[in-house]
Amino acid sequence: MALSSKSPRPEVANPELLKRIKHIESQLAWLNQMAWLDDIGQVETRTSPITIDQVPNTPSAATSVYPRTQRPRPPRDSTPPPERRLSQSVPHSAELDAANIPRFSTLPPHSVMQSLIDTYFLHAHNQPYSYFQEESFREGLAFGQLPKCLVYAVLATALRFSNDAYFNGAKDQATEAYAREAWLSVLNDHMTAENCPNLHVAQTTNLLAIIDFTAGRTSSGWLKIGLAVRIAQDLQLMKEPSGTSSVVEQEKCRRVFWSIYLLDKLVSCGRSRPPAIHDEDCQVQLPCDEMAFRNGYAQRTATLHQVSSWTAESNHIGGNFALAILAASALGRCARYVLHQRETDELAPWDSRSEFATINTYLLLVSHHLRVESMSVDDIVQKHQKTDGSLDCQDAGHMLFSHAVFHLCYCLLNHPILLLLRLQKLNYRVPANFLVRSLHTSCEHASMIIDILDQAATAGLPIRASFYAYATTLAGSIITIAIQAENQPSLLSVSKLQENSQQALSILERMGHVWEHASKMHQQLLLFNASDVASEIRLDSSLPLDTSPGLEDLLWPIVDYGLMCSRLKGLEAKDATSRPPPFEEVNGFSGLDFNVDIDSTEGFSGFGTDVANTMDPDYYMSSIECQL
């Protein structure tokens, strides 16, 4: 029955309810508008490109690195059409707060975005991964040629180095939100039946893998790295790119592949994490010199297979990025031998036919190409000074990284713990002084890693690469063991060892302000220094090797990259006023008897105890918890 026109109009009994209804209606209207704009973007490009509000008609004022004949030209009407300018439809932070919409689910203001892009190329580019040529990236961003997933991934990567006031108190929240938006875009815009991944998606997944792995989400990061590898293989990036594309585009494809290769090797420094890319499958030439890439010049370089021979000439290898790849190749061989628990090589390490001997020979070749004996941090600084006197940190970063990774190879190959765990599975009589000599070798190169990073920081070279935390922790654990061997001849002095140990902790503490996993490793190394584990390792080859059941579970966290990045467990309830209990009390471990020739039971000559008493474990754990 229809209501009579004379029926009285009902009164609004609750004005607050009406206000809430209007709020919900406005929020739904905004979401509908965003969905409509997204549909338009999918119809036009299927990749949902991002453009910025108030885009100038000319590219950013970055230093030009394209030859004029190869510089991409925008159309005459370079201003994107109104319906494609998403930032016009994205509310400002006040409007988002009023509509109760997550603040970081959309792009930040234009000025903030530009600040983050600048930060990325200042602090993250070439440290050590090289995904972009800076000017082409900036031009692609300005003219809407970059997909949403890549833009958000770059912003999330740059945030850890940013001090922009826009993210005050919410940097971690913004990083997670931008990384989530990037990953959802990969799944929704590029992994459906209607489309297929491209180079941008390979770049994105590799960037997101680093964010996940270093944040402790090692399984998620590992899977994303695998996806990046498969995309690269699907795009045939392991082969030389087509000659029909520009010189810059060809080199960009090479560098994306080698960046994926590099990350694949680095995260393989752990048990049951074999690399997905094999060296023999890499047919593409190594990255060219950095200046040639910036200026768009073609440069022929050798392949990885070609430089793995003593007949290769060093001047054909390429630039510093190529040297970093060569060092990573050696690292992959070391990790496969000592960490992946393969049973294919049953020869004793001192046998000239063993893989241990083969890897040492390969390291001699890498040393030859890197010129390790004649290259110091001061040489790196002088070699990479620009004409205006400033330091080319992007190019110098690769040189520094390659030397640190080279020394890490010797640390892994000769790490006392890893060698002992391997030897206990072999029924061989250990030659006299073999383990002692291995300790000497690993200690020498561990000290080199710490000295290089400390000197580089003093000289103004950026210590930005996340992998430096692993290298420092592994080196620090060797130094701790070596401190117990002060009665052994030809080792570094006790004072030098103690200085290196403190430097390692300082490096990790500084890196912890940027990288979450570095804070965890700092705490792990503190606990290792304060425990009695190192003092229980003895190197007496005349006695049979013996290990207790809990040994491997106890010692793997100090050498396994994945375990180092994972969340620390069982350490939250320490008494801040007392020394942390020995590892055997934490893990139910009842002693470590390797029967080797370091017979020191008097601790660290006061060093480990001082560290434990002056560094509050609860303080560091609380700082880690705040970042997770």
Side-chain angles (χ1 to χ4, degrees), residues 309-320:
S309 167
W310 282 99
T311 60
E313 298 182 12
S314 298
N315 58 351
H316 289 164
I317 291 182
N320 293 339

Side-chain angles (χ1 to χ4, degrees), residues 593-606:
D593 184 14
F594 275 120
N595 301 322
V596 199
D597 182 286
I598 303 178
D599 210 11
S600 173
T601 57
E602 298 182 1
F604 305 149
S605 301

Side-chain angles (χ1 to χ4, degrees), residues 449-450 453 467-477 504 507-508 525:
I449 290 175
I450 297 172
L453 295 181
F467 192 69
Y468 285 143
Y470 173 73
T472 302
T473 304
L474 191 79
S477 69
I507 292 170
L508 290 173
L525 188 57

Side-chain angles (χ1 to χ4, degrees), residues 514-542:
V514 176
W515 296 100
E516 295 178 18
H517 70 311
S519 291
K520 301 173 187 177
M521 295 180 191
H522 179 265
Q523 174 69 4
Q524 189 71 44
L525 188 57
L526 274 174
L527 293 173
F528 186 75
N529 289 351
S531 72
D532 295 327
V533 173
S535 64
E536 296 291 337
I537 299 178
R538 297 178 177 84
L539 298 170
D540 185 358
S541 57
S542 64

Side-chain angles (χ1 to χ4, degrees), residues 56 71 74 93 201 204 259 261 294 298 304 311 336 338 350 387 418 448 476 501 504 516 531 586 609 625:
R71 187 174 301 170
S93 58
V201 181
T204 300
S259 294
Y261 171 94
R294 293 176 186 177
L304 184 59
T311 60
R336 181 180 60 183
V338 302
W350 49 87
T387 55
L418 296 174
M448 287 297 297
S501 185
E516 295 178 18
S531 72
V586 176
T609 304
E625 294 293 334

Side-chain angles (χ1 to χ4, degrees), residues 102-124:
R103 178 182 177 188
F104 300 116
S105 62
T106 58
L107 292 174
H110 172 66
S111 60
V112 177
M113 273 197 66
Q114 289 301 322
S115 172
L116 287 179
I117 298 302
D118 293 341
T119 297
Y120 176 86
F121 284 104
L122 181 62
H123 296 294

Side-chain angles (χ1 to χ4, degrees), residues 380-393 396 459-460:
I380 295 176
V381 171
Q382 293 177 5
K383 185 178 178 180
H384 296 89
Q385 281 189 336
K386 299 179 182 179
T387 55
D388 61 359
S390 62
L391 188 61
D392 189 344
C393 294

